[in-house]
Amino acid sequence: MRAVVFERYGEPAEVREVADPEPAEHGVVIRVEATGLCRSDWHAWQGHDPDVTLPHVPGHELAGVVEVTGPRVTRWRAGDRVTVPFVCACGSCPACAAGDQQVCERQTQPGFTHWGSFAQYVALDHADVNLVAVPDGMAYATAASLGCRFATAYRAVVQQGRVAAGEWVAVHGCGGVGLSAVMIAAAAGARVVA
């Protein structure tokens, strides 16, 4: 497959041919149809994240089509349109059992703990826990934006901030997460200054 690979932190990456990934028993391989670029990818490229090992393929905001499933996957099959959250949970630790998959004790993150979505294909573990169906009418680029920037903004504005209609929300910085926060706050009925 073709992928964006960097061999050294902070040095230019290149597009080249690498081996296709294989699914874990509980995982899948996704044919990437869209992937986003996040500031976190820059941090991985700079060597700021201890989970990144070289050589490395970045990318964690993705949507695509299930290409291959591992033998223990029961909810998904080849051809399904999917996206995935930034934090992929194990589904069986105490945090997952409590419904807090975003702080899973054994989490994996495409583009950090393993090769990511700046490639034709990406392997994802614990597919039955982590994959999210993408409706037929939704563009892959839209779906790719949901797992990191939109989920991060939603958690900040709705779950942590508990914004209510009529309240003011100030958004400082209008990148991917900031623009998502503007949309979510406005949808909640808040007055937004960005």
Side-chain angles (χ1 to χ4, degrees):
M1 73 172 176
R2 289 170 45 96
V4 174
V5 181
F6 61 88
E7 297 275 350
R8 291 179 184 84
Y9 298 118
E11 293 189 13
E14 63 179 21
V15 176
R16 67 177 191 220
E17 291 291 325
V18 297
D20 288 357
E22 295 288 330
E25 285 191 353
H26 48 69
V28 296
V29 172
I30 303 296
R31 183 180 72 242
V32 178
E33 296 292 335
T35 189
L37 178 62
C38 180
R39 178 69 175 194
S40 299
D41 297 313
W42 179 84
H43 285 291
W45 174 63
Q46 288 295 305
H48 299 161
D49 191 309
D51 290 331
V52 174
T53 58
L54 300 174
H56 191 67
V57 175
H60 63 276
E61 298 179 345
L62 68 120
V65 177
V66 174
E67 190 79 8
V68 181
T69 63
R72 291 179 33 210
V73 175
T74 61
R75 295 184 55 215
W76 306 98
R77 65 179 189 270
D80 287 343
R81 294 167 44 96
V82 297
T83 188
V84 64
F86 170 51
V87 172
C88 293
C90 73
S92 59
C93 71
C96 287
D100 292 324
Q101 290 89 345
Q102 78 280 0
V103 291
C104 171
E105 297 163 13
R106 294 185 289 267
Q107 65 182 259
T108 59
Q109 300 168 341
F112 295 90
T113 61
H114 61 284
W115 282 13
S117 59
F118 288 5
Q120 289 177 287
Y121 302 98
V122 63
L124 300 169
D125 292 342
H126 305 287
D128 286 338
V129 174
N130 293 305
L131 297 186
V132 178
V134 172
D136 287 336
M138 181 179 283
Y140 287 111
T142 300
S145 73
L146 297 177
C148 181
R149 65 188 75 180
F150 232 83
T152 299
Y154 180 86
R155 183 158 173 80
V157 173
V158 175
Q159 290 183 317
Q160 295 297 311
R162 295 185 174 96
V163 68
E167 292 183 329
W168 282 96
V169 173
V171 177
H172 300 270
C174 289
V177 174
L179 291 173
S180 297
V182 168
M183 289 185 270
I184 291 164
R191 294 179 283 183
V192 182
V193 174

